[in-house]
Structures are given as structure tokens and as C-alpha cells.
């Protein structure tokens, strides 16, 4: 009995194997038939049409390769720049989680994060996150800004409205450097001059700050007019020759707004972000 059962099992295995071989043979015959029909059809087609089809295929493939090479992902990065102590780091945390982080100190390394703006977390529907980078304002660390400019959708230049006058010259020099960078001008990266700490009674108004910055940049433009040929390759000149400088003369859009990182009044900077990083 055991021998009979073994023969039955072997018989079933041979049957399955035979069916498999038969199926593979049929598939091979069918493939050969289709191949023969395809060759017969190709022989009937005029050579000119075949060459034209091959040329179209090559051209289309070439275009697809070019599109992939030159298509850049849409920028979603906003850079926070400005002098040390202007309140950039506090603004970063307000935009991220609505906290004041009163224990923050001057940043020596960039604060970076990708997140949905705090004010938008309760919104229904899809809201795109923002990549926000707080670039240190110390003079020795400002060069880090250049590393992030290729991906920037906008720059927020933060000014301390409370201590503006003592820092006006330094802020103007930093802003001048940003506005004359080739990467900023060529890409027409929008710049928001954000007057921070405007909740204080003694803070200067955004109009006052705008006018003073324009005056200082006008002086810098005159003093830096004699630049070397090497500088010309990298920097752009500002304004219209013979006319007082105004931010309206910049090739990229420059606007001025107010905020208070301490009280959480950051609606104008949020609006700037959403104008340039679509939700």
C-alpha cells in the first residue's frame, strides 16, 4: 500500500511537470509567432517611415533627459538673516511652535527646520510645510548665508526696531551685501525687511527705518562705486545712477513690514512666507 501511494505522488508530480513544460512550449510557440508577424510587418513598412520613427524616438528621449536635467524643484526655503540680537531666533520659534523661548541666546549655528507654520496647524486640508533657516548674524558667520541662497524662495532681513539707530550702519552694510549678491539679483529673490520688537513704545516705525536704510545704502553705493573687476563678476550695483537710492529700484522685490517675536505678532512675516511658498 505504501508503495502504491508513493507511485501516486510521483505520478502527480510528473503530471504537473508535464503540464508546465507544455505551457512553456505553447508560450514559446506563441512568442515565435508574434515575432514572425512583427518581422513580416516591418518588412512591409517603407524604410523612410522606420527611420522617421527611430528619429522621433531618439529626439523624444533626448528631450526627456534635458527636462530631468534642468527641471529644478520648487524652492520652499525662507532664510532669516540680520544682525545678531535682532530677534531672528525668537521669530524662528514663534513661526515653528508659537513659543517665545525667552532663554534663547545668540545663535552660533543655523537653526533649521521644515514644518507647517504654527498659525496654520489647525487649518483643514493640505498645508505645505516651510523650510525655515535662521542664519547666524555674527559677522564671522554670515558667509553661511551663501550656502543656502540657491534654495531660497525668500529672505527675511530682521532689524531691531528698538536699537535701530546704533546699528543702522552695520545693518545697512549687511543688507547692501545681500542686495548686491549675484545669486539674489539673478534669481530675483524677494526680500522682506522685518522691523522686529515694534511692540515697544520707543521702537522706531517701519517708515523711519526704511528711509534711514535707503540713505545709508545710498552712501555705501557711492563709497563702493570704485570696485575691482573681480568684484564686478560677482556683485551688482544698486539703484539708478544720479538718483537717490530707493528699494523700489532693486531688481528683486523689497518690502518692509513689522513684527514682534516676543508677543507673537508675526502675521506679516507669515504672509510674506505664504506669498512665496504656496500652501
Amino acid at each position: 500500500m505504501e508503495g502504491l501511494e508513493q507511485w501516486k505522488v510521483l505520478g502527480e508530480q510528473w503530471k504537473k511537470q508535464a503540464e508546465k513544460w507544455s505551457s512553456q512550449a505553447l508560450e514559446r510557440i506563441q512568442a515565435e509567432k508574434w515575432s514572425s508577424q512583427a518581422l513580416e510587418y516591418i518588412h512591409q513598412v517603407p524604410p523612410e517611415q522606420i527611420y522617421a520613427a527611430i528619429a522621433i524616438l531618439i529626439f523624444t528621449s533626448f528631450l526627456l533627459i534635458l527636462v530631468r536635467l534642468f527641471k529644478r524643484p520648487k524652492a520652499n526655503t525662507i532664510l532669516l538673516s540680520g544682525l545678531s540680537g535682532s530677534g531672528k531666533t525668537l521669530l524662528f520659534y514663534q513661526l515653528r511652535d508659537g513659543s517665545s523661548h525667552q532663554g534663547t541666546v545668540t545663535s552660533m549655528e543655523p537653526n533649521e527646520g521644515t514644518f507647517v507654520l504654527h498659525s496654520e496647524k489647525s487649518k483643514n486640508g493640505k498645508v505645505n510645510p516651510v523650510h525655515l533657516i535662521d542664519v547666524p548674524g555674527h559677522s564671522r558667520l554670515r558667509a553661511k548665508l551663501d550656502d543656502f541662497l540657491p534654495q531660497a524662495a525668500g529672505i527675511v532681513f530682521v532689524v531691531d526696531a528698538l536699537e535701530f539707530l546704533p546699528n543702522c550702519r552695520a545693518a545697512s552694510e549687511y543688507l547692501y551685501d545681500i542686495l548686491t549678491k549675484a545669486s539674489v539679483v539673478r534669481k530675483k529673490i524677494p526680500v522682506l525687511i522685518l522691523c522686529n520688537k515694534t511692540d515697544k513704545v520707543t521702537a522706531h516705525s517701519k517708515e523711519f527705518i526704511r528711509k534711514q536704510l535707503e540713505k545709508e545704502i545710498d552712501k555705501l553705493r557711492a563709497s563702493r562705486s570704485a570696485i575691482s573687476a573681480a568684484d564686478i563678476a560677482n556683485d551688482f550695483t544698486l539703484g539708478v545712477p544720479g538718483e537717490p537710492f530707493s528699494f523700489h529700484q532693486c531688481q528683486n522685490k523689497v518690502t518692509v513690514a513689522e513684527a514682534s517675536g516676543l508677543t507673537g505678532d508675526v502675521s506679516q512675516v507669515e504672509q510674506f512666507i505664504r506669498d512665496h511658498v504656496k500652501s
Side-chain angles (χ1 to χ4, degrees):
M1 290 296 291
E2 291 181 1
L4 182 61
E5 289 297 326
Q6 290 178 353
W7 280 109
K8 285 182 179 181
V9 171
L10 287 172
E12 288 295 330
Q13 291 177 348
W14 290 339
K15 182 180 177 182
K16 289 180 181 179
Q17 187 63 44
E19 289 175 350
K20 182 179 179 181
W21 288 339
S22 176
S23 175
Q24 291 175 346
L26 288 173
E27 288 176 358
R28 187 161 50 250
I29 292 170
Q30 187 66 38
E32 290 174 354
K33 181 180 177 182
W34 287 342
S35 176
S36 177
Q37 290 176 348
L39 289 172
E40 184 179 349
Y41 175 76
I42 290 172
H43 288 310
Q44 294 174 358
V45 176
E48 295 81 4
Q49 293 186 16
I50 295 176
Y51 297 148
I54 293 173
I56 291 171
L57 180 62
I58 293 173
F59 181 70
T60 304
S61 301
F62 179 69
L63 283 180
L64 288 173
I65 292 171
L66 283 180
V67 168
R68 288 190 175 185
L69 285 175
F70 292 101
K71 185 178 179 182
R72 296 178 179 178
K74 191 172 181 179
N76 72 332
T77 299
I78 297 294
L79 305 180
L80 295 177
S81 61
L83 300 180
S84 296
S86 58
K88 300 185 306 298
T89 303
L90 194 56
L91 282 167
F92 177 89
Y93 288 120
Q94 281 286 4
L95 293 167
R96 190 188 73 176
D97 52 36
S99 60
S100 60
H101 282 255
Q102 294 190 36
T104 55
V105 295
T106 300
S107 301
M108 299 305 289
E109 290 294 333
N111 289 307
E112 185 173 355
T114 301
F115 47 82
V116 173
L117 295 176
H118 176 68
S119 64
E120 297 178 335
K121 289 180 180 177
S122 59
K123 283 187 177 180
N124 295 324
K126 184 179 179 181
V127 179
N128 288 338
V130 175
H131 185 208
L132 197 64
I133 303 176
D134 163 25
V135 183
H138 194 281
S139 57
R140 289 181 298 177
L141 303 173
R142 290 176 197 166
K144 291 180 178 289
L145 182 71
D146 294 334
D147 299 336
F148 306 118
L149 284 175
Q151 56 186 300
I155 300 172
V156 178
F157 187 83
V158 185
V159 176
D160 185 342
L162 194 62
E163 298 292 335
F164 172 68
L165 286 178
N167 298 307
C168 180
R169 180 72 178 185
S172 300
E173 289 176 345
Y174 189 9
L175 183 58
Y176 179 94
D177 290 339
I178 291 174
L179 294 177
T180 54
K181 286 184 181 294
S183 53
V184 173
V185 178
R186 289 196 182 112
K187 289 179 63 181
K188 294 186 177 180
I189 299 175
V191 175
L192 176 69
I193 300 172
L194 189 67
C195 306
N196 192 24
K197 307 181 184 179
T198 53
D199 57 299
K200 304 298 183 181
V201 177
T202 54
H204 295 285
S205 69
K206 68 177 185 179
E207 282 305 311
F208 175 83
I209 290 173
R210 179 185 63 79
K211 290 178 182 178
Q212 293 302 314
L213 288 173
E214 287 177 339
K215 287 179 181 179
E216 285 297 326
I217 289 176
D218 195 43
K219 295 176 185 176
L220 288 167
R221 184 177 60 160
S223 63
R224 299 187 184 186
S225 58
I227 56 178
S228 66
D231 289 331
I232 292 174
N234 296 317
D235 295 343
F236 285 77
T237 56
L238 287 177
V240 178
E243 294 183 14
F245 173 74
S246 169
F247 289 122
H248 297 299
Q249 298 166 351
C250 294
Q251 296 185 44
N252 53 318
K253 187 177 180 181
V254 180
T255 53
V256 185
E258 296 177 330
S260 173
L262 190 60
T263 63
D265 182 9
V266 293
S267 59
Q268 292 183 41
V269 66
E270 287 177 332
Q271 184 60 51
F272 173 81
I273 291 172
R274 277 304 164 212
D275 285 343
H276 303 288
V277 180
K278 301 302 180 183
S279 57

